[in-house]
Amino acid sequence: LLLLTALIYVGSAWNPSLQDDADAAHAEAAREIVERGDWVTLHINGVRYLEKAPLMYWAVALSYKIFGFTEFATRLPLAIGAMLLVAAVYYFGRWMGGGRAGLYSGLATSSGLGFYLFTRIMIPEVIISFFLTVAFYFFLKVYLGELNARWVYVFYACMAAAVLTKGLIGIVFPCGALFVFVLLTKAWG
């Protein structure tokens, strides 16, 4: 499953060229991290860019430092995020429904057209999906008593990583879902 995902996402990371305005602007922010050496404040064309959370830009900047300023280096963090998400979905599916369910869940995620298209543009949806999937996985494992209560800190860490990836939706989405969950299950304790 991971090999298939790597073939699809890493294998196609070289194209298309960065053509979209947002795509090129986001790549420029990562490039300026490397050139300025400033990993705290994002810049685009020398102007501070404070609209986005930094984690994806940090990952792309690190990729640029290793592989140079190429389309491949721009998309590699998203390809790795896709592989991590497929693995997380596989384990979640395997835990919920057995090995076959895990395999089919991972395969559906890996081969989804929308999933693929969202890795062609430099947007963090694949990465935040990974963090939210892992967060819910660990929350449910702790809630159902399959893991020690200390493992709930993985849930919190994933929410923090999601905030660094996309902003406050990294807290709002999981807490909103858990609020509805608590309402439906009457599990306030």
Side-chain angles (χ1 to χ4, degrees):
L1 199 55
L2 285 179
L3 180 61
L4 173 66
T5 307
L7 287 172
I8 293 171
Y9 295 94
V10 177
S12 65
W14 281 273
N15 56 29
S17 298
L18 302 176
Q19 298 175 5
D20 181 70
D21 289 340
D23 199 23
H26 294 167
E28 173 65 16
R31 185 186 68 78
E32 289 197 32
I33 288 174
V34 174
E35 289 187 350
R36 290 173 171 269
D38 183 357
W39 292 74
V40 176
T41 306
L42 298 175
H43 293 83
I44 295 180
N45 296 323
V47 178
R48 281 183 296 189
Y49 183 63
L50 305 175
E51 297 176 20
K52 302 289 183 182
L55 187 69
M56 180 182 66
Y57 301 98
W58 292 339
V60 173
L62 183 62
S63 182
Y64 284 162
K65 285 182 92 59
I66 297 168
F67 299 106
F69 300 111
T70 64
E71 285 88 356
F72 174 78
T74 303
R75 291 193 183 91
L76 183 61
L78 296 176
I80 292 170
M83 293 172 63
L84 290 171
L85 179 57
V86 167
V89 167
Y90 166 77
Y91 282 108
F92 209 140
R94 189 178 80 177
W95 172 63
M96 295 294 289
R100 180 176 276 181
L103 177 66
Y104 290 157
S105 299
L107 189 59
T109 303
S110 176
S111 61
L113 179 61
F115 187 72
Y116 178 78
L117 292 175
F118 275 113
T119 61
R120 303 297 89 203
I121 307 166
M122 194 176 147
I123 55 176
E125 272 60 24
V126 169
I127 299 169
I128 193 167
S129 297
F130 165 72
F131 288 126
L132 294 180
T133 300
V134 173
F136 284 123
Y137 176 79
F138 277 95
F139 172 81
L140 287 172
K141 294 279 272 189
V142 170
Y143 176 79
L144 295 173
E146 294 184 23
L147 287 175
N148 185 296
R150 288 179 291 174
W151 282 95
V152 79
Y153 291 111
V154 176
F155 171 75
Y156 298 136
C158 286
M159 281 199 318
V163 168
L164 284 172
T165 302
K166 186 82 172 163
L168 287 178
I169 70 166
I171 293 173
V172 172
F173 284 10
C175 289
L178 294 182
F179 179 74
V180 172
F181 173 77
V182 167
L183 282 178
L184 294 175
T185 61
K186 297 180 178 128
W188 294 104

